[in-house]
Amino acid sequence: MAGRAPRQTPTMADVARRAGVSVSTVSHVLNKTRPVAPATVRSVLGAVAETGYVPDPVARALGSTGYGTIGLAMSALSNPYFSSVVHGIDRHASAAGYSVLLADTHDEADAEIKAVGELLRRRVSAIILAASGDGSPAIRYADKVDVPVIAIDRFVPAGVDQVAVDNTEPTAFLVDHLAAVGHTRIAMVTGRAGLTTTRERRAGYLLGLRRNGIEADPRHEADGDSSEDGAGVAVGRLLGLAEPPTALVVGNNRMTIGALRALRDAGLSVPGDLALVSFDDFEWADLFHPRLTAMAQPARSIAEQAVAMALSRITSPALPPRKVTINPTFMHRESCGCPPGAA
C-alpha cells in the first residue's frame, strides 16, 4: 500500500456507473431508504467494494489513518469461539492504546461488505476480518483506501497478513482417536459450504479415514450449516440411516450444541450410544456430562497475533504479507468413549 500516487476520491456516481443503476438507487441501497431488489443490492455493494467509495463527508478525511481505532469484522454474536477472540483482541488493542470497533458480518458476503464500509466510515486504522468466504471484495474495498486488513480464523487467497489455526491435521487426529477406540462407522457434521474452515476440516476427516483404512461413505457426511438447527437436522439424517454411525465428528461448537440436543431428543446417550468429538471447545466443556472431547482453538493466541500484525502494519505498511498457522490443543475428556480419568 505504501508509495501510491494520490487518486481521485470515488463518488456515488462512479458506483452507479459501475453497477449500471441510477445514483438514487445507490443512495437507497446505502441508506436503506427504499426497498431494492436483492440482485441490485448485490450489484451496488460489489461496485462500492470495487471503487472504494466511502460516503461523504468521511471520505475526505480518509487521506490519513492512525486515529487509534482498529476495526473488527466478524460474525461475533453467533459463535462462542468468536466471542473469546473479540475479548482477546479488545484486551490487546487496549493495552497498545487502541480502541476496537466491532461490525457483525453474520458470515454473509453482502453483510461483510457493509460491515467493512461502516468501519471505513469510522476512520479505523486497520481492519481485522474473519471472512465469510474468500474475503476478496471486502479486502479490495479496504485496499482502495489504503486501510490494512488482517485476516483471521480463515485463510483467504489474498496478499494480506493472516493468522488461523491448522484445521486439517487436527481433524484427522480426532478421527484417529475414534478409530483407536474401535469405531469404523465415523460420521461428520460439516460446516457451512464455502468456508475454508469447512473445506479444511472435511479434508482432515477424509484424511483420518484413509489412514485408518476406513472407506469413506458419502452418507456419513451431513451438512450442519455451521448452526445449531442445521446440526440438529444433520444428526437426524445420520440417525435415520440403515446403519447409523457409532461416532461423530462435529465441525464447530455451535453445531456441537445442536448435535447434543438432537441426540438427547432421540433418547440417545453420549458416549454410550454414540461417541462424539468436536472441533472447537467451550469454556464450560468440563461441565458437560460427559465432559466434551474437543480440539480447542487458541483464541487468545490468535487475538494477540492479529493485534500485533495490525499494529506493525499500521506503522510499517510496506512489510511483506505474513501468514501464521497456530495449532489447536486436543482436550481429551470422556465424550469420545474413553473412561473417566483417561484424559
Side-chain angles (χ1 to χ4, degrees), residues 206-225:
L206 295 174
L207 172 62
L209 294 180
R210 285 196 303 272
R211 69 189 186 193
N212 285 282
I214 301 173
E215 184 177 356
D217 186 342
R219 295 173 300 177
H220 286 167
E221 294 182 42
D223 180 5
D225 194 39

Side-chain angles (χ1 to χ4, degrees), residues 102-279:
L102 174 63
D104 199 324
T105 66
H106 305 286
D107 256 345
E108 298 173 357
D110 289 350
E112 184 172 286
I113 294 176
K114 290 180 180 178
V116 168
E118 179 60 28
L119 293 173
L120 292 176
R121 285 191 286 275
R122 300 297 183 91
R123 300 161 63 183
V124 297
S125 301
I127 293 175
I128 297 174
L129 169 70
S132 60
D134 66 14
S136 296
I139 291 172
R140 286 197 300 269
Y141 189 4
D143 187 56
K144 290 286 184 180
V145 291
D146 293 343
V147 174
V149 172
I150 292 80
I152 65 169
D153 185 61
R154 302 153 185 170
F155 290 125
V156 296
V160 298
D161 294 330
Q162 306 187 45
V163 56
V165 300
D166 179 8
N167 290 293
T168 304
E169 179 58 35
T171 306
F173 182 86
L174 290 175
V175 177
D176 291 342
H177 184 70
L178 292 171
V181 176
H183 294 282
T184 57
R185 295 203 306 273
I186 303 172
M188 182 175 191
V189 177
T190 57
R192 181 175 299 175
L195 299 180
T196 56
T197 47
T198 296
R199 185 164 56 250
E200 291 169 359
R201 291 171 194 175
R202 177 179 179 272
Y205 163 72
L206 295 174
L207 172 62
L209 294 180
R210 285 196 303 272
R211 69 189 186 193
N212 285 282
I214 301 173
E215 184 177 356
D217 186 342
R219 295 173 300 177
H220 286 167
E221 294 182 42
D223 180 5
D225 194 39
S226 296
S227 68
E228 294 179 29
D229 291 343
V233 172
V235 168
R237 186 178 72 75
L238 292 170
L239 295 178
L241 295 174
E243 288 187 310
T246 61
L248 190 61
V249 178
V250 186
N252 75 9
N253 52 19
R254 286 187 65 202
M255 293 191 296
T256 297
I257 295 172
L260 289 171
R261 181 181 295 117
L263 292 171
R264 180 201 63 193
D265 291 347
L268 300 177
S269 67
V270 175
D273 296 306
L274 190 143
L276 185 147
V277 296
S278 171
F279 201 110

Side-chain angles (χ1 to χ4, degrees), residues 61-101:
L62 274 170
S64 63
T65 56
Y67 284 85
T69 304
I70 294 174
L72 180 55
M74 60 169 55
S75 182
L77 303 180
S78 58
N79 190 317
Y81 161 68
F82 279 148
S83 297
S84 297
V85 173
V86 171
H87 176 74
I89 287 174
D90 182 65
R91 182 165 60 87
H92 288 292
S94 296
Y98 280 74
S99 60
V100 174
L101 284 178

Side-chain angles (χ1 to χ4, degrees), residues 17 25 33-34 45 58 61 65 85 110 160 177 214 234 282 285 312:
R17 281 192 294 271
T25 297
T33 50
R34 191 186 71 187
L45 292 177
V58 177
T65 56
V85 173
D110 289 350
V160 298
H177 184 70
I214 301 173
F282 300 87
S312 65

